[in-house]
Amino acid sequence: MTAGRHGFLGALAPGHGDRLLAFAQDVSFPAGTRIFEEDGVADRFWIVRSGLVALDVHVPGRRAAVVETLGEGDLLGWSWLFEPYHWQLGALTRAAVSASEFDAQRVRAACAADPAFGLAVTHCVAQVIARRLKATRTRLLDLYGPPA
Amino acid sequence: MADGAAVIDKGGLDTLIAVLVARGRTVVGPTVRDGAIVLAEISGGDDLPYGWGVELAAGSYRLRAREDGAAFAHSAGPQSWKTFLHPPRERQWSADRDADGELVVTEDRTPAPSYAFLGVRPCDLRAIAIQDRVLTGGLYTDPAYRGRRERAFLVAVECTEPGATCFCVSMGTGPAVGPGYDLALTEVLDADGHRFLVRAGSEQGEAVLAELPRRAADTATRTAAQERVAEAADRMGRSMPLVDLQVLMRESLTAERWDDVAARCLTCGNCTMVCPTCFCTTAEDVTDLTGDHAERWRRWESCFDRDFSHLPTGPVRDSSHSRYRQWATHKLGTWYDQFGSSGCVGCGRCIVWCPVGIDITEEAHALNREREGADRKGTP
Amino acid sequence: MTASDRPKLAVWKFASCDGCQLTLLDCEDELLGIAERIEISHFLEASSATDPGPFDLSLVEGSVTTPQDAERIQHVRAVSKRLVTIGACATAGGVQALRNYADVAEFQAVVYARPDYIDTLATSTPISAHVAVDFELRGCPIDRGQLVEVITAYLAGRRPDVPAHSVCFECKQRGTTCVTVAHGTPCLGPVTHAGCGALCPAYGRGCYGCFGPSDSTNFPSFIPLLRRDGMDTLDIVRVLRTFNTAAPEFDDASRKELDQ
Amino acid sequence: MTHRGSRVLHVGSLARVEGESALHLLVDGGEVTEARLAIYEPPRFFEAFLRGRSYTEPPDITSRICGICPVAYQLSACRALEDACGVTVDGQLAALRRLLYCGEWIESQTLHVHLLHAPDFLGCAGAVELARTRRADVERGLRLKQAGNAIVELLGGRAIHPVNVRLGGFHRIPSVAELRPLAEKLRRARDDAQETVRWVAGFEFPDAGCDHDLLALAEPGTYAIESGTPAVMPAPTTAGLPAGSDRALPIRTFELHTFGGHVVERQVPHSTALHSRLDGRRHLTGTLARYAISGRWLSPIALQAAQDAGLGDPRQGTVCRNPFRSIVVRAVEVLHALDEAVRIIDAYEPAPRPYVDVPARAGTGHGATEAPRGLLYHRYTLDEDGTVTDAVLVPPTAQNQGAIEEDLRRIVRDRLRAGDPGDAELTALCERAIRNHDPCISCSAHFLDLTVERGESGS
Amino acid sequence: MTVPLPYRVVDRAVETHDTATLTLEPVRQALRPFAPGQFAMVYAFGVGDIPLSVCAIDGLRLTHTVRAVGAISGALHALRPGASVAVRGPFGTGWQLAGAAGLDLLVVAGGIGLAPLRPLVCEALAAPGRYGRLNVLIGAREPRELLYAAEVGGWPAALTTVDRPDARWRGEVGVVTTLLDRAAFDPPGTAAFICGPEPMIRATAGELVHRGVDPDRIRVSLERTMHCATGHCGHCQLGPLLLCRDGPVVTWARARPLLMVREL
């Protein structure tokens, strides 16, 4: 599984990737499972192997507003890396999902113990956040909206 | 006797009704109609369901003939007293536009009927007290409810025949009668005959009792009455888990069990409509064709209605999961926060009249098990 | 109020039994009052006076079953400021939508010796399948009180108070003992849209769904209840396939039942 | 004159009739060469989708054919299905059915008299316009209609598509105490009904006649409503009498189960409704036919009102063949139905059970009742499970279509002979001629006798 | 307080394309005085009533800013001076500004959420020295949807941001929480008052707690449907709260666990 890694793992050097994967355990969620809830404790994170996960915000009186969907190879969850370790959004599976699940506390401890590994992980997570930020900003432009 | 308890026989019961009618009261009591024991206006003892009992189960209610001829040996029926005290629909005020276009608002002041409720079971007596607290115990008093309530005369009957869906013992509301009655009866049928132990709980109750053909309560009747009620306590068909339900509900908001209930729940609202304490209403604005007369009505409403929680964008509680959770956690939990007690009296109506037989006690047990399971998982 | 500043009402008929528009004439207490507040500009069943429109409020009865009607409803929409469908035909295709499950050519052959004289579509469809609808009033037939509410709410600028919850709400408010729980009578009340005032249970029979599905149905839990009370697959399919057969919830539940 | 030569009159959509239809009239010189009542009401295929339904369902399903006479459909269906299953409903249950039917008569006939037909005599577009000048008359009509609806609502739950009728009787029957207040209301309505007879008797009626066989149910001793044997009074010209003659002719009857052999439907290209003929001749069913066949059995006050209204005494062999005067006969029928309803309520005792059991069996059953617009016939064939394998419904308006067209021809011809009135007046006259028969278009679309269909399609 | 009193519209100020501020005067009897944060049930004849917070405290007059989003608010929005309404109130908890004496004040408003906060700002401005520094942070969707623009321009400590700037907008762009970095306040010594859409409340309050503001000193105003406003109809429940009685203003400490549960 080393060769041809893509998505989040693909951005990590193979050694760091293997090290991270050593913390992983396989999990699967049926369609319609709420994996985590906005403001819940971010004590785990996942790398999606297959399926689709919707990230949403709940607004009373409206159907949950989906802000993004994640699929194969994507990192699900980054709030575990930064205090106060609370989820910013909710996550609901759209289709059955299989994923690698990581215990946040153990990964954080490993990051702290090995600064090189920690930097690599933090760097990759930061890249994910930066990409999502850019995507969000682009969406704000409402490019498909009617011409003003 | 020091406590003024007396014994009346069936004839005394007839006289009781006659005395109440003579005092200008509308006497409402149990009577058989449409295959059920319903609450309706009664004019004499003949209207009472002598010899009728019921078989209750989750989602099922059947009348059954009794051999002993008891009048009150049936459990809670399809309605509760809120039908009379907090009716399904009533006008609150009207507004008219006068010739100058000015609004004139008139409060509805229909004179409250003077009810006498005959056969209020202890659980229902508690339910009335709970609705009193909701509708008259806060910063604002509902005037129409208060009017009816203040004029009502309550004849409680201790429960000697709990149903398979009853759990008043675990809610602490029965089968012995609590405070709040004008008269309390305990029906006794044994070799010494069919009779009722009667106690007065108010001055009005004493005055009515004084008019009945009666004898002082004898020890045998007292003992028999106590025994019947004590036996009833042992024959409860259901019970709630012996935990702090308020805490259980507070800690179960994200339980998986709600999904399980939601798969069964029809959101038909029956449980709330038959619940003797559910008080929710919706405001109805109506106008006539002239456009110069408008009225404000309110009608029973239920948290199972999708529209109940609507905001301009849609309902807050859209899923049936969240609507059942709202009902159960309110009834058993947040009612304490809002009104200082449980909202459940253990009458079991919500279990009986749920078409698919969802059982609030079973759900509470399941939530409790889920919480305990989660607790164990959390311990290393 | 002069004729000119009164809102104009039109009543239109598509494939139907006329019962829903008759409901307007059945408002004996209100009819003349309505006529004072609203100019009834187009109502063929009641008046030969006609007005080309436009109309402030159109009440549309019936479903679309012919190519001509599919065009006519476009015209009705174009001349109507607000379009309200009345009844199960206009809202869900009506009982004539039973053709949607069958071969219409065969249906025609059963009823007519010369089917070629008859111009009809293969399906009976609700008005909302053709044009935008502002409000749908349910029922086969609609309830008189709800029709008056729709009209008075329109005049007052109010949202009509027409709850979409189940018939059980009304049944309990009426004080009727539940026929399912107390007698084991199959009843569609828990999945049916309120509005009739819970008539059938008050007459000792189970609801047969003439107001169509409520806004919150749970057929997987509900159907076993019908079975418990003695209905077999065919009975269940039949009761769902009547006056609101093309309502998506009823249609879906009946198809699932047949698939079993 | 501009109107010489041939011309076509066309009324795109007829108003104040139930359902949708148009009129085509071809006039050549002074003669009407073609008169067509074109029914474009879309077909709804009831007979087709009744096949495969349970025998318990037609009463509810067929009531949806017509919102104005749902009770007629429910009870014709019940009678046919009970006949198929060999069950008779009688006694108080039959009386309650008759009471329910009286409610529908009062409601439907009053609707026609006050809201649909009277405006023709008073030069108005409709009842709302009429109310501006004759509010009291319209209000009286609405009160009467409400009295009829009150009966249907109490017995059936609602006025349109009532829910309480079932095979064998009712789902629930009322107590005496529930019916009593209704009787009071009906007694008051009787005064209104008498007033209405007087009111409509004062209208101006063109001279006209109808040369059709008259078909209605007959039930000795009573003005037939919910049961009876088909009875025919031949057309006046068969006895050498003028079309407008008010003389009764001898009546013949036939067994209901032979209905399909007597009343034969055929399809015509201009209509989604089927035309029918009785023993090969044009016939008319409905108010005038009933009055001719059963008039002598009207209640005493209805008989008196009929005489006071100039209809003569049916016990002395007087009938009414002027279709314009049908409004008077309808008003008399309303009065009779109110009287009959009061009589039934006064004699009411609840039956021991709300219905008799109707077990399914294989067979064919026939049922006919007198809908407000005339004889409504149902025939069902069931298999042993009670599944409907064949259904035939013959509504009154489909039977009357030929007679209506003939009336049009005759009335237009007579009018033209008196001088050319111009298109507008002629059109209005045609519409009146049609409304004389209170056609119910929704009913008349979509029916056919299957045996006929096979016979014709083979040709 | 189940029966409303007649009031007359005496002034109507257009705020935005769908929002107007109505000033009401009692026809005869007046309601008891309102406190900032409290609301009235305002009845449009024949249409119905809705809760509207007071957006100014002015003697016997009532001032409400109403945005046309439904039938009732649409009917109220359409009223012109001289029109009649009927009003019940005052209902609910207020902002309880008095308890914030000596603290920095942080007022955060999103969209129409500025309306109930306006009397609070006015009260704070009228009592200089009683409180610490005042910051008013205002977010809106677009520049044309900013409320009370002229008046806000005169507030010494107001910062405004929009989600969607137009061609003429020269101010801040972004969600209202981005303004927190521009505000001068001492988190442990701050009382915050927040009103706006719920996700905005959650984000803002969460950020404030993260920065060290005491959750008991953060007050938020919540919205649920209301019918009776007297605690009898059950519509406005949010878990243990009856918002007409226990709200609409509640502390973040109380609100937070409730707002985090979906569909509660």
Side-chain angles (χ1 to χ4, degrees):
Chain A
M1 202 21 218
T2 318
R5 267 183 199 155
H6 60 284
F8 180 70
L9 281 174
L12 274 178
H16 292 314
D18 291 341
R19 176 136 184 223
L20 183 63
L21 275 177
F23 294 104
Q25 63 174 31
D26 291 350
V27 290
S28 56
F29 303 98
T33 310
R34 186 152 285 288
I35 302 178
F36 54 81
E37 185 67 89
E38 194 177 337
D39 200 51
V41 177
D43 56 356
R44 276 168 289 179
F45 66 96
W46 299 263
I47 294 169
V48 178
R49 285 204 307 273
S50 67
L52 205 59
V53 182
L55 298 180
D56 59 9
V57 181
H58 74 270
V59 189
R62 298 190 193 191
R63 304 217 171 236
V66 174
V67 294
E68 191 162 14
T69 56
L70 302 179
E72 187 185 343
D74 286 338
L75 171 70
L76 172 58
W78 50 261
S79 304
W80 58 276
L81 192 55
F82 306 99
E83 284 174 336
Y85 309 127
H86 279 204
W87 299 118
Q88 306 281 319
L89 298 167
L92 182 73
T93 61
R94 289 225 153 158
V97 163
S98 72
S100 305
E101 182 177 289
F102 301 86
D103 182 311
Q105 207 174 351
R106 291 179 62 203
V107 176
R108 284 197 302 259
C111 289
D114 178 349
F117 175 65
L119 184 63
V121 170
T122 308
H123 184 80
C124 283
V125 173
Q127 272 186 345
V128 169
I129 296 171
R131 274 202 306 276
R132 289 189 191 163
L133 179 60
K134 182 175 182 199
T136 308
R137 285 173 170 164
T138 309
R139 266 187 65 193
L140 264 180
L141 293 176
D142 197 15
L143 292 172
Y144 307 140
Chain B
M1 300 291 292
D3 64 356
V7 172
I8 61 171
D9 58 16
K10 275 173 74 173
L13 202 55
D14 294 345
T15 311
L16 171 60
I17 296 168
V19 166
L20 293 169
V21 170
R23 290 175 173 232
R25 294 188 176 275
T26 302
V27 181
V28 180
T31 191
V32 172
R33 192 184 70 204
D34 296 336
I37 294 172
V38 301
L39 301 175
E41 186 173 347
I42 56 174
S43 50
D46 291 347
D47 294 332
L48 293 172
Y50 285 110
W52 286 105
V54 291
E55 289 290 350
L56 304 182
S60 171
Y61 178 103
R62 293 290 183 279
L63 271 188
R64 107 186 130 79
R66 295 177 63 91
E67 293 190 349
D68 63 4
F72 299 106
H74 48 82
S75 304
Q79 314 128 294
S80 70
W81 304 96
K82 82 172 176 188
T83 302
F84 302 92
L85 291 174
H86 187 40
R89 192 164 179 267
E90 73 182 314
R91 187 171 55 201
Q92 293 183 283
W93 44 267
S94 21
D96 291 274
R97 242 196 305 241
D98 67 17
D100 306 325
E102 213 65 78
L103 283 192
V104 179
V105 182
T106 316
E107 185 175 4
D108 205 75
R109 291 188 193 275
T110 316
S114 171
Y115 284 121
F117 295 155
L118 174 59
V120 181
R121 311 180 75 78
C123 52
D124 283 350
L125 189 65
R126 179 68 71 90
I128 291 171
I130 289 173
Q131 283 214 329
D132 288 351
R133 179 81 187 261
V134 172
L135 294 167
T136 63
L139 189 56
Y140 301 102
T141 289
D142 181 76
Y145 178 88
R146 187 179 58 197
R148 287 184 290 265
R149 183 66 185 87
E150 282 173 349
R151 304 188 66 189
F153 184 92
L154 306 184
V155 183
V157 175
E158 291 197 293
C159 183
T160 55
E161 190 73 17
T165 50
C166 288
F167 55 102
C168 66
V169 167
S170 60
M171 297 313 295
T173 58
V177 72
Y181 57 84
D182 293 292
L183 287 177
L185 313 181
T186 314
E187 187 171 24
V188 176
L189 285 127
D190 57 19
D192 295 336
H194 190 172
R195 60 202 190 280
F196 303 88
L197 179 71
V198 194
R199 284 142 298 158
S202 69
E203 280 181 20
Q204 277 203 52
E206 279 172 15
V208 170
L209 181 55
E211 291 190 44
L212 306 184
R214 68 197 186 282
R215 57 182 191 272
D218 54 295
T219 312
T221 304
R222 283 174 185 274
T223 309
Q226 273 170 11
E227 282 173 4
R228 295 291 300 272
V229 174
E231 286 161 19
D234 293 336
R235 294 208 312 275
M236 287 292 132
R238 299 248 193 314
S239 69
M240 276 289 177
L242 294 170
V243 297
D244 185 328
L245 293 171
Q246 185 186 12
V247 174
L248 174 62
M249 292 300 131
R250 191 163 59 217
E251 293 179 353
S252 296
L253 291 177
T254 55
E256 287 175 6
R257 181 67 183 185
W258 304 120
D259 287 330
D260 189 276
V261 196
R264 288 171 280 138
C265 177
L266 303 176
T267 60
C268 62
N270 276 310
C271 47
T272 55
M273 298 284 151
V274 297
C275 176
T277 68
C278 270
F279 58 84
C280 288
T281 53
T282 222
E284 224 181 82
D285 287 288
V286 297
T287 37
D288 73 357
L289 286 161
T290 67
D292 292 326
H293 178 76
E295 294 181 352
R296 164 62 58 87
W297 290 69
R298 71 169 173 204
R299 65 163 181 266
W300 284 359
E301 181 53 294
S302 161
C303 47
F304 284 91
D305 184 338
R306 267 180 93 238
D307 238 14
F308 183 75
S309 60
H310 85 96
L311 287 174
T313 43
V316 172
R317 290 186 283 275
D318 191 28
S319 68
S320 52
H321 163 129
S322 67
R323 283 179 265 159
Y324 185 86
R325 180 183 66 192
Q326 166 63 26
W327 179 68
T329 58
H330 185 220
K331 188 78 22 189
L332 300 176
T334 54
W335 205 294
Y336 285 97
D337 300 281
Q338 294 170 4
F339 305 110
S341 75
S342 170
C344 176
V345 297
C347 71
R349 285 186 179 91
C350 57
I351 306 172
V352 174
W353 300 97
C354 173
V356 291
I358 294 173
D359 177 348
I360 193 172
T361 66
E362 188 185 318
E363 300 313 321
H365 281 288
L367 288 166
N368 192 41
R369 283 194 299 274
E370 185 175 337
R371 183 178 61 157
E372 285 175 350
D375 282 352
R376 270 196 302 278
K377 253 194 289 181
T379 344
Chain C
M1 219 181 271
T2 61
S4 58
D5 56 12
R6 286 181 302 165
K8 283 187 177 182
L9 174 82
V11 182
W12 308 90
K13 175 186 157 70
F14 289 79
S16 66
C17 78
D18 273 48
C20 293
Q21 52 173 320
L22 178 66
T23 304
L24 190 57
L25 296 180
D26 272 358
C27 298
E28 290 99 358
D29 288 335
E30 299 90 357
L31 183 63
L32 296 179
I34 290 172
E36 279 163 20
R37 287 274 285 150
I38 298 186
E39 190 181 342
I40 302 179
S41 302
H42 178 89
F43 186 10
L44 273 181
E45 187 176 65
S47 173
S48 48
T50 53
D51 180 322
F55 307 99
D56 295 286
L57 177 63
S58 273
L59 302 177
V60 178
E61 171 191 272
S63 66
V64 175
T65 59
T66 66
Q68 295 87 331
D69 278 355
E71 283 172 29
R72 190 161 60 100
I73 188 61
Q74 300 296 337
H75 166 73
V76 171
R77 178 69 265 190
V79 297
S80 308
K81 213 182 275 179
R82 194 173 158 78
L83 191 159
V84 174
T85 61
I86 53 172
C89 298
T91 302
V95 69
Q96 57 272 18
L98 285 170
R99 78 177 67 188
N100 301 1
Y101 301 100
D103 174 359
V104 171
E106 194 262 353
F107 264 29
Q108 273 178 238
V110 170
V111 181
Y112 299 100
R114 288 287 303 274
D116 51 311
Y117 291 169
I118 307 296
D119 195 4
T120 186
L121 296 171
T123 54
S124 169
T125 42
I127 300 302
S128 62
H130 300 265
V131 296
V133 171
D134 297 303
F135 189 78
E136 294 187 323
L137 191 58
R138 302 286 201 93
C140 181
I142 55 170
D143 176 77
R144 182 166 54 200
Q146 290 202 326
L147 178 63
V148 173
E149 166 62 11
V150 164
I151 293 172
T152 52
Y154 166 76
L155 290 171
R158 191 175 63 234
R159 192 173 78 132
D161 182 25
V162 174
H165 52 219
S166 74
V167 169
C168 299
F169 281 71
E170 292 185 320
C171 205
K172 289 290 181 288
Q173 286 170 13
R174 190 176 177 139
T176 304
T177 297
C178 177
V179 297
T180 295
V181 169
H183 310 143
T185 303
C187 175
L188 289 192
V191 294
T192 297
H193 194 289
C196 63
L199 277 183
C200 286
Y203 282 80
R205 81 182 280 194
C207 164
Y208 59 89
C210 68
F211 274 60
S214 76
D215 68 350
S216 183
T217 58
N218 182 354
F219 280 99
S221 174
F222 176 66
I223 298 278
L225 200 63
L226 298 180
R227 274 186 207 290
R228 181 199 71 186
D229 292 331
M231 291 179 96
D232 62 19
T233 296
L234 193 54
D235 296 329
I236 292 168
V237 172
R238 280 171 174 160
V239 76
L240 292 172
R241 291 190 176 176
T242 53
F243 315 111
N244 287 278
T245 180
E249 294 87 344
F250 281 7
D251 177 52
D252 187 54
S254 72
R255 285 178 197 276
K256 284 194 176 125
E257 187 64 16
L258 272 182
D259 287 346
Q260 281 193 344
Chain D
M1 286 293 286
T2 52
H3 295 307
R4 296 221 179 270
S6 75
R7 57 177 156 148
V8 178
L9 278 185
H10 179 77
V11 181
S13 39
L14 288 166
R16 279 184 281 126
V17 296
E18 193 270 358
E20 303 204 305
S21 55
L23 164 69
H24 294 277
L25 208 62
L26 204 60
V27 181
D28 198 351
E31 284 300 311
V32 180
T33 51
E34 197 179 348
R36 286 191 284 128
L37 182 60
I39 292 183
Y40 57 83
E41 173 90 11
R44 293 195 290 148
F45 304 116
F46 275 85
E47 287 154 311
F49 59 65
L50 280 167
R51 293 172 309 158
R53 305 297 299 208
S54 163
Y55 77 119
T56 57
E57 295 184 285
D60 284 325
I61 291 179
T62 61
S63 78
R64 266 64 180 188
I65 290 171
C66 177
I68 294 183
C69 49
V71 170
Y73 278 90
Q74 293 185 338
L75 292 183
S76 280
C78 283
R79 288 195 69 85
L81 292 158
E82 287 156 6
D83 181 45
C85 299
V87 171
T88 306
V89 174
D90 51 19
Q92 286 291 344
L93 291 177
L96 276 184
R97 282 182 166 179
R98 189 174 175 85
L99 175 60
L100 177 68
Y101 221 136
C102 284
E104 181 158 293
W105 271 31
I106 296 163
E107 190 279 328
S108 176
Q109 299 288 53
T110 299
L111 171 74
H112 192 255
V113 167
H114 281 86
L115 304 186
L116 310 186
H117 207 189
D120 276 341
F121 294 91
L122 301 165
C124 291
V128 168
E129 194 187 310
L130 187 61
R132 285 189 202 120
T133 52
R134 312 188 69 120
R135 193 170 178 108
D137 291 324
V138 174
E139 284 180 344
R140 185 181 63 242
L142 291 171
R143 277 200 307 274
L144 267 174
K145 198 162 116 40
Q146 198 167 39
N149 277 341
I151 299 176
V152 182
E153 282 167 15
L154 192 136
L155 281 182
R158 61 185 172 200
I160 301 169
H161 306 327
V163 303
N164 194 19
V165 169
R166 55 162 290 161
L167 289 188
F170 294 86
H171 290 278
R172 180 182 171 277
I173 51 175
S175 64
V176 173
E178 281 174 280
L179 280 185
R180 207 174 292 131
L182 185 59
E184 284 316 303
K185 189 184 179 92
L186 299 179
R187 282 194 180 91
R188 287 193 300 274
R190 226 163 31 186
D191 298 337
D192 279 335
Q194 281 175 311
E195 183 55 36
T196 292
V197 177
R198 281 194 287 272
W199 181 54
V200 297
F203 292 170
E204 275 183 43
F205 302 102
D207 279 332
C210 60
D211 188 31
H212 324 298
D213 290 0
L214 299 175
L215 170 67
L217 295 177
E219 181 91 60
T222 183
Y223 199 86
I225 301 179
E226 84 295 352
S227 66
T229 306
V232 186
M233 181 181 288
T237 50
T238 60
L241 294 172
S245 165
D246 65 356
R247 271 185 52 200
L249 292 171
I251 291 166
R252 72 173 192 275
T253 61
F254 59 85
E255 293 295 316
L256 185 61
H257 65 84
T258 65
F259 189 88
H262 291 278
V263 177
V264 175
E265 293 192 291
R266 67 187 171 87
Q267 192 183 0
V268 292
H270 61 260
S271 176
T272 51
L274 301 163
H275 280 206
S276 54
R277 293 175 85 77
L278 170 59
D279 294 328
R281 294 171 48 78
R282 188 176 62 241
H283 72 286
L284 179 73
T285 177
T287 295
L288 293 182
R290 277 196 298 264
Y291 187 73
I293 305 275
S294 298
R296 77 186 65 184
W297 303 115
L298 285 168
S299 76
I301 63 166
L303 273 172
Q304 187 59 51
Q307 287 175 63
D308 294 347
L311 290 175
D313 186 348
R315 288 168 301 186
Q316 309 295 324
T318 309
V319 301
C320 172
R321 288 199 183 85
N322 182 343
F324 290 96
R325 295 181 88 92
S326 65
I327 190 170
V328 185
V329 185
R330 274 191 196 92
V332 168
E333 286 195 335
V334 170
L335 177 59
H336 173 79
L338 279 161
D339 216 30
E340 181 72 359
V342 170
R343 187 191 64 75
I344 293 169
I345 296 173
D346 286 347
Y348 178 66
E349 286 169 36
R353 288 183 63 212
Y355 57 89
V356 295
D357 290 320
V358 182
R361 71 175 192 194
T364 295
H366 309 259
T369 64
E370 282 292 336
R373 286 160 194 78
L375 192 150
L376 169 61
Y377 168 79
H378 286 214
R379 189 190 77 205
Y380 299 96
T381 303
L382 312 179
D383 69 12
E384 63 276 11
D385 303 331
T387 303
V388 175
T389 58
D390 184 38
V392 173
L393 315 169
V394 182
T397 296
Q399 301 181 61
N400 287 349
Q401 214 175 324
I404 294 172
E405 289 180 359
E406 172 58 19
D407 274 12
L408 278 170
R409 215 173 270 129
R410 176 186 295 273
I411 287 167
V412 170
R413 185 197 63 200
D414 291 352
R415 183 64 191 81
L416 289 172
R417 283 180 185 167
D420 195 316
D423 281 3
E425 194 198 321
L426 204 54
T427 305
L429 186 66
C430 290
E431 288 201 61
R432 290 185 65 183
I434 293 167
R435 278 195 285 269
N436 281 339
H437 296 286
D438 189 13
C440 186
I441 308 300
S442 296
C443 294
S444 52
H446 30 261
F447 304 104
L448 178 78
D449 187 320
L450 271 183
T451 54
V452 176
E453 179 253 321
R454 279 185 215 106
E456 291 209 351
S457 59
S459 61
Chain E
M1 183 40 65
T2 52
V3 177
L5 298 180
Y7 272 66
R8 194 177 295 114
V9 178
V10 294
D11 186 51
R12 179 181 191 271
V14 173
E15 300 291 347
T16 76
H17 69 285
D18 63 356
T19 305
T21 297
L22 302 177
T23 306
L24 312 176
E25 257 179 20
V27 172
R28 285 175 290 276
Q29 192 191 342
L31 296 167
R32 285 186 291 117
F34 284 64
Q38 286 194 305
F39 68 94
M41 294 299 289
V42 185
Y43 172 73
F45 182 80
V47 185
D49 54 4
I50 47 168
L52 290 176
S53 293
V54 285
C55 64
I57 303 293
D58 175 17
L60 295 180
R61 291 183 159 194
L62 291 173
T63 307
H64 300 285
T65 297
V66 59
R67 182 174 175 202
V69 293
I72 304 171
S73 58
L76 291 171
H77 178 263
L79 294 178
R80 294 294 183 271
S84 297
V85 294
V87 191
R88 297 182 287 140
F91 295 118
T93 52
W95 292 111
Q96 298 178 25
L97 180 62
L103 300 173
D104 286 345
L105 303 181
L106 184 62
V107 175
V108 188
I112 185 103
L114 182 58
L117 287 164
R118 185 168 87 161
L120 171 92
V121 173
C122 294
E123 194 175 318
L125 289 172
R130 181 157 183 195
Y131 309 100
R133 289 163 290 185
L134 170 67
N135 287 278
V136 183
L137 313 182
I138 298 167
R141 190 164 170 269
E142 301 170 54
R144 66 183 188 123
E145 291 186 4
L146 285 163
L147 296 183
Y148 321 130
E151 185 181 349
V152 169
W155 290 349
L159 294 171
T160 300
T161 180
V162 300
D163 288 349
R164 298 176 181 203
D166 60 17
R168 286 174 304 168
W169 182 252
R170 293 287 171 272
E172 305 255 2
V173 174
V175 295
V176 71
T177 45
T178 59
L179 296 177
L180 288 173
D181 289 333
R182 314 262 194 289
F185 64 100
D186 167 41
T190 291
F193 305 89
I194 311 172
C195 186
E198 231 177 84
M200 169 267 180
I201 291 178
R202 294 201 300 264
T204 308
E207 181 63 24
L208 290 177
V209 172
H210 185 59
R211 289 171 185 238
V213 181
D214 182 347
D216 278 318
R217 284 193 184 144
I218 301 171
R219 290 181 194 276
V220 301
S221 183
L222 302 175
E223 183 197 10
R224 286 295 184 272
T225 183
M226 285 184 190
H227 283 209
C228 73
T230 54
H232 299 152
C233 79
H235 280 269
C236 65
Q237 289 182 69
L238 173 63
L241 306 177
L242 284 163
L243 280 183
C244 70
R245 183 189 79 177
D246 308 320
V249 177
V250 295
T251 65
W252 179 241
R254 197 127 198 244
R256 183 180 170 280
L258 306 174
L259 297 190
M260 294 309 170
V261 180
R262 262 168 218 267
E263 296 189 273
L264 189 64

